[in-house]
Amino acid sequence: MTVAPEKVVSMEVKLYVGNLPRSATGQELNVLFGRAGDVTAVNIITDRLTGGCKGYAYITMSAQSEADKAVSMFNSYFLDNHRLKVVLTRPRDQRGFVRTY
């Protein structure tokens, strides 16, 4: 009898980073947030027409403790004269809008 391998549970935590300067790059954010822990992904939201930063991004950290540290280190942090807003995102099922039929 074989036992099915257990699912690997991802403990990654996503952060919303707002009020970014338009010149912000993924590499710059990776280095900055890397000071708080292991950054697994940086997703800068860009304008479709210009390709430039729209002023916010989502950063994925590898653990809850690192994400909490990033929030405490970088919420209200100044980057190129922009005061960043850094908060934990909520899973989709906890975002407040519930469709009822």
Side-chain angles (χ1 to χ4, degrees):
M1 177 177 177
T2 60
V3 178
E6 292 184 30
K7 277 188 173 179
V8 175
V9 178
S10 173
M11 297 305 294
E12 292 182 334
V13 181
K14 191 177 280 191
L15 302 171
Y16 166 84
V17 182
N19 199 32
L20 285 171
R22 304 282 183 211
S23 62
T25 66
Q27 181 178 354
E28 178 181 28
L29 293 176
N30 196 0
V31 169
L32 181 67
F33 281 81
R35 294 174 21 198
D38 184 32
V39 175
T40 59
V42 174
N43 183 16
I44 295 178
I45 307 306
T46 56
D47 184 281
R48 288 184 211 200
L49 297 175
T50 66
C53 175
K54 288 183 88 172
Y56 65 101
Y58 293 96
I59 296 180
T60 306
M61 305 293 290
S62 64
Q64 181 69 51
S65 60
E66 294 171 348
D68 292 338
K69 184 177 179 183
V71 170
S72 67
M73 287 175 70
F74 301 117
N75 189 42
S76 296
Y77 179 88
F78 280 93
L79 180 64
D80 295 339
N81 293 321
H82 288 249
R83 179 179 280 173
L84 300 182
K85 177 180 180 178
V86 181
V87 294
L88 297 170
T89 61
R90 294 184 303 198
R92 283 187 189 262
D93 60 346
Q94 296 177 6
R95 288 194 189 149
F97 177 78
V98 178
R99 176 176 284 168
T100 56
Y101 293 95

